[in-house]
Amino acid sequence: MKRALDAAGSSLTSFFHSIRFRLTLWFVLILAVVLAVFSVYIYLSQARDLQFDAAARMRDKFVHVQDYLQRAQWDPADLSAGTVPGSTEPLQKGDVLILADITGSVLQQWGQQISASDPMWKALPDIGSQHPDGSIFEHRASVIGQNEQPVPTDYLFVMTPVVRGGQLLGFLVLGSKSDLAVQSRRLTVSLAVGSLAMLAMAFLGGLWLADRAMRPVSQIALAAREISEGDLDRRIHLRGRDELARLAQTFDDMIGRLQAALNRQRRFTADASHELRTPLTIINLEAGRALSSRRTSEEYRRALEIVEAEGGRMARLVNDLMTLARMDMGEAILKLEELDLGEVAREAVERLQPLAAERSVKLGAGDLDSLCIRGDRQYLLQMASNLLENGIKYAGSGQSVRIEVRHEDGRALVRVSDTGPGIPVEHLPLLFDRFYRVDAARSQNGVDPTSPSGSGLGLSIVAWIVKVHGGTIHVDSKINAGTTVEVTFPLLEVPQSRS
Ligand code: ADP
């Protein structure tokens, strides 16, 4: 029971805090203000009209009564009770006709009797002086009821001064029961009940509307809750073209990007551990084999060479991984300077001559123009070295690798080409992906330290270096004819054309 109460309490709290409730509340509040202003306006104008009509009716009645008195040849200026017509013919039920002198003492009353102690009589001279031409006033008079008791009743009075020879002698007052207060009360009740009913309907309608409008938000929230790290396949797929559908689409796109990033990261981790495991396994195997029984010094030497090669491979791999990690985190700091790209290419060739000689590859340089660009010498040297090393590694013995630096179409062009086996065209778009190798078996043969070995990170590092220098890279390859990699950079100054 307590739990049910708690649950009801918390769902009520969340309802009161919900946007749909607050939206509805604001909507109802605004409507309430509008209705209040409208009701006050209606009340005032209606009340004025009612008063106006009642006053007009009173005046008509007074004229009628005065006509009658005139026809009966009764002159109120006589102030004599003896000449008063005995009939109350022109008066209707509840009406009263009073003749009072200037002190407010009642001389004569016809029709309904009003208590002699009513304060109105005392006030008559004042009222008369304020409204000399017989205007209308409202008063709650003490009417003498059936058992001679005064009953307060709303009356409307019209009065006219009685004058003879320019002298005020008294007042002739006609009173008639007034239902103005009742009508005003009825109007107030109608307006209040109508307004409350409208507010209630607006509240329910507003809740329904807000609920409809907010339903996609609940859908988005539910989907977001269901999407966990392991379930990034889930999408909201909200239909429509409104703001919420656009929000859901943005959300779906974001999840898509997150999923791609997570997949990349997973693949990267798996690839990196796989790459490190292979040389470690080889080192373990070789060491175990060398230690298992007595070997010749030639065999020990061979085992140590393999261990050294694999150790070198691991060191290179860890180096590459660190470079990539620094790049990803934006921590790779470029030491930008004006440099000669031809000179950088020459340095790279010198650096790789020993490797080329070891692999019996002819490494040569074409035109190495002196082209001035702005860049980081170390990174550009690494780029040229990676490209030349790939050529040397994959071309095979007896083949040739060549580098040239030229000015082309207003940019500095570095072209590295080889006469090696080439790369199948379907692999070209993927070459710059991390750990991507065209033929893993061909490019990684750790048992033979002289065979090409690589981890598939070289070209992704090259691509990053080219990108941060504002350059472009393009690979062209033909099977059994060779591979050409072209990199261009913006020039700092356009060189004079050679004559
Ligand atoms: P790796 O460290 O394996 O050399 P790269 O990213 O430099 O990695 O190269 C990716 C793959 O592209 C290599 O594994 C290789 O199969 C292929 N490749 C790169 N350069 C050449 C080339 N000049 N000739 C043939 N294949 C190449």
Side-chain angles (χ1 to χ4, degrees):
M1 177 68 181
K2 188 174 178 300
R3 201 181 296 165
L5 275 178
D6 283 354
S10 82
S11 64
L12 215 61
T13 316
S14 64
F15 171 71
F16 286 138
H17 283 95
S18 65
I19 293 184
R20 65 200 166 109
F21 175 71
R22 276 186 286 167
L23 259 181
T24 312
L25 204 66
W26 276 111
F27 170 60
V28 169
L29 273 178
I30 291 170
L31 188 66
V33 172
V34 172
L35 277 177
V37 172
F38 181 70
S39 300
V40 168
Y41 170 75
I42 291 286
Y43 178 84
L44 291 178
S45 69
Q46 280 293 93
R48 203 196 51 206
D49 285 356
L50 284 175
Q51 260 167 351
F52 193 77
D53 286 353
R57 274 200 310 275
M58 264 324 272
R59 271 195 204 101
D60 283 354
K61 194 183 263 185
F62 201 30
V63 168
H64 182 63
V65 170
Q66 280 173 313
D67 276 356
Y68 172 81
L69 292 175
Q70 222 167 14
R71 263 185 276 120
Q73 309 214 321
W74 178 73
D75 182 5
D78 274 355
L79 298 183
S80 137
T83 57
V84 170
S87 160
T88 57
E89 193 199 311
L91 302 183
Q92 287 163 353
K93 191 169 181 288
D95 287 354
V96 54
L97 184 65
I98 300 144
L99 182 64
D101 67 13
I102 50 168
T103 63
S105 305
V106 178
L107 300 173
Q108 194 56 265
Q109 274 197 72
W110 297 267
Q112 181 71 57
Q113 295 297 295
I114 291 182
S115 164
S117 61
D118 194 296
M120 179 180 75
W121 307 130
K122 292 248 151 46
L124 264 188
D126 275 352
I127 299 171
S129 61
Q130 278 166 24
H131 310 282
D133 54 349
S135 38
I136 300 206
F137 61 94
E138 249 186 299
H139 174 64
R140 175 162 275 218
S142 308
V143 171
I144 304 296
Q146 282 169 343
N147 46 4
E148 299 298 312
Q149 288 300 311
V151 181
T153 312
D154 288 323
Y155 262 78
L156 208 58
F157 292 98
V158 57
M159 63 183 286
T160 188
V162 177
V163 182
R164 168 161 293 174
Q167 195 188 349
L168 178 68
L169 301 176
F171 307 100
L172 186 64
V173 183
L174 175 68
S176 196
K177 271 190 186 164
S178 159
D179 58 355
L180 271 180
V182 176
Q183 283 187 338
S184 302
R185 219 171 302 131
R186 226 179 272 156
L187 184 62
T188 311
V189 171
S190 306
L191 285 172
V193 170
S195 298
L196 284 178
M198 272 164 85
L199 285 179
M201 280 191 306
F203 182 76
L204 293 178
L207 263 190
W208 180 75
L209 265 182
D211 194 51
R212 262 179 74 91
M214 287 290 132
R215 210 169 294 157
V217 176
S218 315
Q219 242 172 297
I220 295 175
L222 186 75
R225 214 174 304 139
E226 279 174 10
I227 293 173
S228 62
E229 200 187 303
D231 177 30
L232 288 180
D233 293 331
R234 181 98 160 71
R235 296 289 183 279
I236 301 170
H237 291 312
L238 200 68
R239 266 168 301 170
R241 284 202 228 156
D242 57 10
E243 293 86 338
L244 289 174
R246 280 209 298 278
L247 174 72
Q249 183 58 48
T250 314
F251 189 80
D252 281 350
D253 292 348
M254 189 188 75
I255 297 295
R257 283 197 301 276
L258 275 181
Q259 187 180 28
L262 196 75
N263 287 344
R264 265 201 311 276
Q265 196 192 20
R266 280 184 185 150
R267 212 176 47 228
F268 185 78
T269 315
D271 287 346
S273 35
H274 177 77
E275 290 300 324
L276 284 168
R277 203 180 53 194
T278 312
L280 275 174
T281 313
I282 293 170
I283 288 174
N284 270 342
L285 274 175
E286 280 306 314
R289 212 166 42 179
L291 291 173
S292 62
S293 58
R294 270 199 85 75
R295 306 272 166 188
T296 64
S297 58
E298 187 47 40
E299 283 170 329
Y300 282 132
R301 182 178 188 74
R302 171 86 181 141
L304 281 176
E305 271 174 7
I306 291 174
V307 169
E308 188 193 23
E310 289 307 315
R313 237 165 71 74
M314 279 198 333
R316 273 200 308 280
L317 180 64
V318 171
N319 246 345
D320 285 352
L321 284 175
M322 275 174 64
T323 310
L324 283 171
R326 271 202 299 271
M327 289 171 184
D328 286 348
M329 290 190 294
E331 282 177 7
I333 297 162
L334 295 184
K335 291 197 202 92
L336 293 178
E337 56 179 317
E338 284 180 25
L339 49 83
D340 179 350
L341 201 56
E343 203 181 294
V344 173
R346 208 167 293 121
E347 201 177 324
V349 171
E350 277 166 24
R351 220 174 164 192
L352 286 158
Q353 273 306 353
L355 181 71
E358 190 187 312
R359 308 257 170 129
S360 315
V361 172
K362 272 180 264 146
L363 175 60
D367 289 341
L368 296 181
D369 291 356
S370 245
L371 295 179
C372 190
I373 69 160
R374 194 168 168 73
D376 182 301
R377 180 175 289 277
Q378 284 314 315
Y379 278 125
L380 288 172
L381 191 62
Q382 185 177 1
M383 175 205 81
S385 304
N386 280 9
L387 293 178
L388 285 175
E389 198 181 327
N390 274 356
I392 295 167
K393 274 194 304 191
Y394 301 113
S397 81
Q399 300 300 326
S400 55
V401 178
R402 210 176 124 84
I403 183 168
E404 56 181 324
V405 175
R406 293 203 297 129
H407 168 223
E408 206 168 279
D409 298 335
R411 291 174 75 88
L413 170 78
V414 182
R415 181 182 288 132
V416 177
S417 48
D418 64 60
T419 55
I423 304 167
V425 67
E426 66 272 19
H427 293 279
L428 293 181
L430 305 167
L431 283 185
F432 301 103
D433 287 1
R434 292 174 185 186
F435 293 109
Y436 189 80
R437 290 186 307 242
V438 172
D439 179 354
R442 180 182 79 186
S443 58
Q444 187 185 0
N445 184 355
V447 183
D448 177 4
T450 59
S451 72
S453 68
S455 53
L457 293 178
L459 283 182
S460 43
I461 293 175
V462 167
W464 179 84
I465 295 172
V466 172
K467 191 174 142 211
V468 293
H469 282 84
T472 63
I473 186 163
H474 176 75
V475 184
D476 206 9
S477 193
K478 274 205 181 77
I479 294 294
N480 296 328
T483 303
T484 301
V485 183
E486 286 185 345
V487 179
T488 71
F489 293 110
L491 275 168
L492 260 192
E493 48 193 66
V494 179
Q496 302 293 312
S497 58
R498 274 177 286 179
S499 52

